[in-house]
Amino acid sequence: MNDKPDVSEETKKKIQKVIDKLGYNPNGIARGLVLQKTHTIGLIIPDISNPFFPEVAKGVEDRARELNYSVIFCNTDNDKKREKEAIDLMKSKHVDGIILSLSISNKEEIYKLEEKNFDVVQIDRKIPDSNYQAVVIDNTLGAYNATSHLIELGHTDIAHITGDLEIQTSQDRLEGFKRAIGTFDLDYKEKWIVEGDFSKESGYKAMKNLLTLEDRPKAVFIANDLMAIGAYEAIFEMGLEIPQDISVVGYDDIEIASIIKPGLTTMTQPKYKLGQAAADVLISKIDNKRNINDEDIILNPKLIIRDSTRGYEDE
Amino acid sequence: MNDKPDVSEETKKKIQKVIDKLGYNPNGIARGLVLQKTHTIGLIIPDISNPFFPEVAKGVEDRARELNYSVIFCNTDNDKKREKEAIDLMKSKHVDGIILSLSISNKEEIYKLEEKNFDVVQIDRKIPDSNYQAVVIDNTLGAYNATSHLIELGHTDIAHITGDLEIQTSQDRLEGFKRAIGTFDLDYKEKWIVEGDFSKESGYKAMKNLLTLEDRPKAVFIANDLMAIGAYEAIFEMGLEIPQDISVVGYDDIEIASIIKPGLTTMTQPKYKLGQAAADVLISKIDNKRNINDEDIILNPKLIIRDSTRGYEDE
DNA sequence: ATCGGTAACGTTAACGGTATCGGTATCGTT
DNA sequence: AACGATACCGATACCGTTAACGTTACCGAT
């Protein structure tokens, strides 16, 4: 008997004794079958070896465990077929809900889930027009704040190295950059926006590019830290110094950012919290079907100021 | 009917049609109940946010999926209680087998599993005296090879910065270092072995320590890359150059190792392969109860030569 | 026409729990 | 002594699937 009100404390103890003696483990499968509830959630993410996701997964698992759920996980490598397979797997395993990060091109799967009335929370990426609640980090705001930091230091000549513009994240960060430039009424120079692809090499090239302009920028916001590392090399190679000659802000706060010299000012993302929040939302949806609040949850990245930024006027 | 021999192709097709039409998903739970088989394996690791494990997890998941298994995962944070809980969870979920990385102090749990005849493979760490097969990376060999690399370059004055010696890994790497020194009949100086704790700061301190000796070493093997980064700082601070004045070999091949200047020579660990091998071994054990080969699988780390090492005689 | 073999069909019993219901024993209350 | 409340006990149905078995239908070969 599972905590029913009409069982006395005494017999509970007696029963517990017998349980211990026989080493009885309840069979979760049989339970799941009759209760139509597995106390399991699915976690479908693109790639656990991408440094963004382990923390997220940890947040999900920790919170799920606290709430008495376990998690079964799948990598999809952004492959549409594998995404579908992962979802089918979750269906056949009868998980109680799914935390999902789908590639944008795979809307159908989300629609199918909606039809079946599956409990789903989207994480990190939200498929436009889907009705499922999403838990995301505000890339636009992050980029806005990163850029504002440079502006507040007195900079006016600010460049931006973007990520691969096919990817929504890059678009959002570009948008945030533009918005900050606009808000503060600064000069907007198209040639100071250079596209990279998130790789270190592309950061190097883009920076080289910027530094060979006759009117070169005095500050740069770079869409991720890896490109910023590449940019560092380009800057040093030209005999320039950070932050004396040029201020640099990155994005992601990867491990190297605090190790490299000078320490890289960057935006850190609340990855663990993202996972926690997603688990929270999903499980409260499962346990308590009325959706108290089905608005998207938007977490804010945080600026980490290190030594790669400095005011333009400072000495 | 699941691929039984006495069903004709024709009816199979007919059935498939009906399946598609009704959108039927077989209920894995009911199946698991009657077949006593869940096609699920458990993955219990200390911490997915430790950069070592995501690749391992990916290897496990990829291979498991290829072999038609899914994986349910738990972090334990090296906490004995959570390890026990994770194992109980796996039992109640009736997974077909477990890939396990336990803290050394938690032997009992392994013994309990052995009693119950559970299918288990240990990964990364092997509990001494346990009968379960393990899939591990040979730390002693790695350290031996790292040190040999320095010796083969002509170095004779070689120091070692260890990790936290409470941890088996550190002991193994120290052992490999000593063995290499012994094999090549070099001078063995106790004071050239300094204990760190795997942190960057401890690497810095230990290196400072070594560099202030009157007979300072010309090469150093450091038990992990993070400490090596700290050591770099100490070396630069003393006005010395790598590798001209001192050669450095690290261990782990973290991302920074290839980014830092000069590129750090280090040992890389076959993490993905480790996960794959563990899944392979476990699932073949499950599917085919006769243990064809129940010896431990020992994978070899690989030396990555970059720019932080050079021969002693080289100009 | 008869026979044997093969494939499809239908039924039933498990798998290991939970929920529900009726029955019974025990207690305190009036 | 009769009553109600409370706690325990036992029986039974059910969750969705597979295995096993018996039956029936159909086909080609003798």
Side-chain angles (χ1 to χ4, degrees):
Chain A
M1 319 233 166
N2 290 312
D3 258 335
K4 287 291 150 57
D6 65 335
V7 177
S8 69
E9 284 306 316
E10 210 179 327
T11 33
K12 270 188 198 169
K13 269 185 209 156
K14 255 169 50 194
I15 291 176
Q16 191 55 46
K17 253 190 201 163
V18 179
I19 288 178
D20 293 343
K21 204 165 116 198
L22 299 180
Y24 168 81
N25 269 76
N27 183 325
I29 305 187
R31 245 195 202 148
L33 186 56
V34 58
L35 295 182
Q36 305 288 12
K37 186 139 189 8
T38 50
H39 274 271
T40 304
I41 61 176
L43 174 63
I44 302 180
I45 54 178
D47 181 8
I48 189 74
S49 69
N50 171 334
F52 182 78
F53 287 107
E55 280 284 324
V56 177
K58 195 178 183 190
V60 168
E61 206 263 337
D62 278 359
R63 180 52 53 90
R65 191 167 24 73
E66 281 167 31
L67 300 172
N68 253 300
Y69 279 76
S70 45
V71 7
I72 157 165
F73 108 101
C74 279
N75 280 315
T76 63
D77 278 333
N78 282 313
D79 182 277
K80 271 180 85 164
K81 190 164 149 248
R82 281 180 62 176
E83 288 175 350
K84 179 173 166 23
E85 282 170 5
I87 292 174
D88 284 345
L89 174 73
M90 297 305 170
K91 276 187 198 155
S92 76
K93 285 267 194 286
H94 278 242
V95 298
D96 297 331
I98 305 180
I99 294 177
L100 194 52
S101 181
L102 280 189
S103 61
I104 321 135
S105 55
N106 209 350
K107 304 187 181 192
E108 318 152 35
E109 291 302 326
I110 274 255
Y111 294 146
K112 268 194 245 164
L113 286 169
E114 281 180 4
E115 260 174 50
K116 294 219 174 182
N117 229 345
F118 238 82
D119 281 327
V120 171
V121 171
Q122 299 182 75
I123 196 167
D124 188 39
R125 312 169 177 175
K126 174 167 178 135
I127 294 214
D129 324 318
S130 76
N131 292 318
Y132 283 126
Q133 200 168 351
V135 182
V136 297
I137 296 178
D138 193 334
N139 279 298
T140 309
L141 179 67
Y144 180 88
N145 287 343
T147 312
S148 297
H149 167 63
L150 290 170
I151 296 174
E152 280 158 11
L153 285 173
H155 285 286
T156 52
D157 300 348
I158 307 175
H160 176 40
I161 299 176
T162 75
D164 177 351
L165 287 173
E166 298 277 297
I167 294 174
Q168 188 60 37
T169 305
S170 311
Q171 292 283 359
D172 292 345
R173 293 183 188 168
L174 173 58
E175 166 70 18
F177 170 77
K178 285 184 178 170
R179 205 179 290 172
I181 296 290
T183 304
F184 289 88
D185 251 350
L186 297 184
D187 253 15
Y188 175 84
K189 297 195 187 168
E190 199 58 63
K191 66 180 166 187
W192 280 354
I193 297 182
V194 185
E195 182 174 356
D197 62 7
F198 287 127
S199 74
K200 185 181 140 203
E201 289 68 33
S202 79
Y204 174 85
K205 268 196 225 157
M207 196 72 222
K208 263 269 146 90
N209 219 313
L210 285 168
L211 292 177
T212 47
L213 295 173
E214 68 275 24
D215 52 344
R216 65 160 201 255
K218 303 289 188 304
V220 56
F221 163 54
I222 304 178
N224 78 341
D225 287 353
L226 207 54
M227 288 195 295
I229 306 290
Y232 266 45
E233 277 176 38
I235 293 169
F236 294 145
E237 220 175 277
M238 304 278 286
L240 298 175
E241 280 186 73
I242 305 170
Q244 286 80 354
D245 299 307
I246 185 162
S247 284
V248 179
V249 178
Y251 207 111
D252 280 351
D253 194 28
I254 59 180
E255 201 187 5
I256 318 173
S258 65
I259 290 173
I260 202 165
K261 298 279 170 182
L264 178 63
T265 295
T266 188
M267 298 302 299
T268 184
Q269 313 204 56
K271 302 186 273 285
Y272 184 80
K273 219 165 143 195
L274 184 75
Q276 275 191 324
D280 264 345
V281 168
L282 180 62
I283 293 173
S284 73
K285 218 167 160 183
I286 293 169
D287 284 350
N288 164 356
K289 274 298 196 182
R290 299 165 298 132
N291 296 353
I292 298 141
N293 180 354
D294 61 353
E295 276 170 36
D296 292 345
I297 293 187
I298 301 176
L299 301 175
N300 294 336
K302 214 178 107 198
L303 183 69
I304 305 279
I305 300 177
R306 296 206 178 89
D307 310 317
S308 67
T309 49
R310 138 187 307 200
Y312 183 43
E313 299 91 344
D314 298 10
E315 92 211 67
Chain B
M1 320 233 163
N2 292 313
D3 257 335
K4 287 291 149 58
D6 65 337
V7 176
S8 70
E9 283 308 316
E10 209 179 327
T11 33
K12 272 189 199 168
K13 267 185 209 155
K14 253 168 53 193
I15 290 176
Q16 191 57 46
K17 252 189 202 164
V18 178
I19 288 178
D20 294 343
K21 206 165 116 199
L22 299 179
Y24 167 81
N25 269 75
N27 183 327
I29 305 189
R31 246 197 200 148
L33 187 57
V34 57
L35 296 183
Q36 305 289 13
K37 186 136 190 8
T38 50
H39 273 272
T40 305
I41 62 177
L43 174 63
I44 302 181
I45 54 178
D47 181 8
I48 189 75
S49 69
N50 170 335
F52 182 78
F53 287 107
E55 280 284 323
V56 177
K58 193 177 185 187
V60 168
E61 206 264 338
D62 278 358
R63 180 53 52 90
R65 191 167 24 72
E66 281 167 33
L67 300 172
N68 254 300
Y69 280 77
S70 45
V71 8
I72 157 164
F73 108 100
C74 279
N75 281 314
T76 62
D77 278 334
N78 283 313
D79 181 276
K80 272 180 83 165
K81 190 165 149 249
R82 281 179 63 176
E83 288 176 350
K84 179 173 164 22
E85 281 170 7
I87 292 175
D88 284 345
L89 174 74
M90 296 306 171
K91 277 186 198 157
S92 77
K93 285 265 193 286
H94 279 241
V95 298
D96 297 332
I98 305 180
I99 294 176
L100 193 53
S101 180
L102 280 190
S103 61
I104 321 135
S105 56
N106 209 352
K107 303 187 180 189
E108 319 151 34
E109 291 303 326
I110 272 255
Y111 294 145
K112 268 194 247 164
L113 287 169
E114 281 180 4
E115 261 173 50
K116 295 219 174 180
N117 229 345
F118 237 84
D119 281 328
V120 171
V121 171
Q122 298 182 76
I123 195 166
D124 189 37
R125 312 169 177 176
K126 173 166 179 137
I127 295 214
D129 324 316
S130 77
N131 293 319
Y132 282 126
Q133 198 168 351
V135 182
V136 297
I137 296 178
D138 194 334
N139 279 297
T140 309
L141 179 67
Y144 180 90
N145 287 342
T147 311
S148 298
H149 167 63
L150 290 170
I151 297 174
E152 281 159 10
L153 285 173
H155 285 285
T156 52
D157 302 346
I158 306 174
H160 177 40
I161 299 176
T162 75
D164 177 351
L165 288 174
E166 296 277 296
I167 294 175
Q168 188 60 37
T169 306
S170 312
Q171 291 284 358
D172 292 345
R173 292 182 191 170
L174 173 58
E175 167 70 19
F177 171 76
K178 285 184 178 171
R179 205 178 290 172
I181 295 290
T183 305
F184 289 89
D185 251 350
L186 295 185
D187 253 15
Y188 174 82
K189 297 194 189 170
E190 199 58 62
K191 65 179 168 188
W192 279 356
I193 297 182
V194 185
E195 181 174 357
D197 63 7
F198 286 130
S199 75
K200 187 181 139 203
E201 290 68 31
S202 80
Y204 173 85
K205 269 196 225 158
M207 196 71 223
K208 263 269 147 92
N209 219 315
L210 286 168
L211 293 178
T212 47
L213 295 172
E214 68 273 26
D215 52 341
R216 64 158 203 256
K218 303 289 188 305
V220 57
F221 163 53
I222 303 179
N224 79 339
D225 286 353
L226 208 53
M227 289 196 293
I229 305 290
Y232 265 46
E233 276 176 37
I235 293 168
F236 294 145
E237 220 175 278
M238 305 276 287
L240 299 174
E241 279 186 75
I242 305 170
Q244 286 79 353
D245 298 307
I246 185 162
S247 284
V248 179
V249 178
Y251 207 110
D252 281 349
D253 194 28
I254 61 180
E255 203 186 4
I256 317 172
S258 66
I259 290 174
I260 203 165
K261 299 279 168 178
L264 177 64
T265 295
T266 188
M267 298 301 300
T268 184
Q269 314 203 55
K271 303 186 274 284
Y272 184 80
K273 221 167 143 193
L274 185 73
Q276 275 191 323
D280 265 345
V281 168
L282 180 62
I283 293 173
S284 73
K285 218 167 160 184
I286 293 169
D287 284 350
N288 165 358
K289 275 296 194 182
R290 299 165 299 132
N291 296 353
I292 299 142
N293 179 356
D294 61 354
E295 276 169 35
D296 292 345
I297 293 186
I298 300 175
L299 301 175
N300 294 337
K302 214 178 107 198
L303 183 69
I304 306 279
I305 299 177
R306 297 207 177 89
D307 310 315
S308 67
T309 48
R310 139 187 308 200
Y312 182 43
E313 299 92 346
D314 298 11
E315 86 216 66

